[in-house]
Amino acid sequence: MLRIPQLTMQATFPQLSITMERGYMNMRQPQADMSLEQPQPQVEMKTTPPRLTIDQTEARADVDLKHIFRRIEEAAQEGYAAWLSYLETTAIQGDELMRIEQGGDVLAMQAQANSERPLLDYNVGLVPRPFSVKVNIEPGRIDMNWQTSGARIHIEPRPVQIDYKPSVVHIDLARHNELRIDISV
């Protein structure tokens, strides 16, 4: 019998080993440092107080409570007026006496006029007169001056902190390829 050699081939394929380390990324944002300062405003105020003036000089004069200077002035004016009236009367009577020759009873008329008392004039009225008290009001004022300054803001940002590790893939040859050939007779 003839024996034919037998050829046996046995192949093993290569095998890869893949391991992976997962990467990660971590981000943190620290808060920024911030300071805020607001200076107080400055205020200047100037006030002018109101003023009330009451002048009752005329009302007091109406009830004969006059200042001495006013009494002196009125007496001087009355004396001057009386003197002028006397000059007028004397001039008129002198002119009448110059014409005495024209007739008439000039001396008797002048004697009667000089001996009579003057007529007194009186009237009913209010004492003191209405509106004799004078009132004056000056309103007050407030002047305000504001000086403001803006807020002072200081911000110091902090950078983002990033921790990053990339993913790593390891590829290894777990099993090599192999070819076995057996010849059997």
Side-chain angles (χ1 to χ4, degrees):
M1 202 169 64
L2 182 67
R3 285 182 152 202
I4 300 177
Q6 244 184 343
L7 185 64
T8 315
M9 290 177 49
Q10 192 176 10
T12 307
F13 294 102
Q15 192 174 20
L16 294 178
S17 165
I18 299 176
T19 56
M20 183 170 132
E21 293 179 31
R22 289 186 136 288
Y24 63 88
M25 184 167 80
N26 188 6
M27 295 176 65
R28 287 187 316 274
Q29 175 67 57
Q31 287 192 351
D33 286 334
M34 184 171 87
S35 64
L36 174 66
E37 184 180 340
Q38 176 66 54
Q40 289 192 351
Q42 300 294 320
V43 179
E44 288 182 23
M45 286 179 28
K46 291 181 184 176
T47 58
T48 304
R51 185 173 175 169
L52 172 66
T53 307
I54 300 174
D55 184 6
Q56 58 184 1
T57 306
E58 293 301 316
R60 290 177 61 86
D62 287 348
V63 293
D64 202 29
L65 296 173
K66 301 175 186 174
H67 191 270
I68 188 65
F69 293 148
R70 185 165 177 176
R71 285 190 185 277
I72 292 171
E73 184 181 335
E74 286 177 356
Q77 288 175 356
E78 287 175 10
Y80 185 68
W83 178 69
L84 287 178
S85 174
Y86 171 76
L87 281 180
E88 178 187 15
T89 305
T90 306
I92 291 171
Q93 288 179 355
D95 285 344
E96 289 174 353
L97 287 175
M98 268 189 344
R99 291 185 214 95
I100 198 165
E101 69 275 355
Q102 293 176 0
D105 200 8
V106 175
L107 286 174
M109 285 179 14
Q110 285 183 0
Q112 183 182 1
N114 288 340
S115 64
E116 291 179 354
R117 289 187 178 178
L119 295 174
L120 296 177
D121 187 24
Y122 64 91
N123 196 354
V124 176
L126 298 174
V127 176
R129 291 171 291 154
F131 306 110
S132 60
V133 176
K134 294 181 178 45
V135 178
N136 184 24
I137 298 173
E138 296 175 21
R141 286 185 48 192
I142 297 178
D143 295 323
M144 298 178 83
N145 184 15
W146 292 85
Q147 293 177 352
T148 58
S149 54
R152 296 183 196 131
I153 301 173
H154 177 71
I155 299 174
E156 187 176 321
R158 296 218 174 137
V160 176
Q161 295 175 353
I162 301 173
D163 294 334
Y164 172 70
K165 181 180 177 191
S167 295
V168 178
V169 177
H170 297 285
I171 301 175
D172 292 321
L173 193 56
R175 187 173 60 199
H176 292 280
N177 58 344
E178 193 177 312
L179 181 61
R180 257 199 254 114
I181 302 173
D182 286 331
I183 301 174
S184 49
V185 187

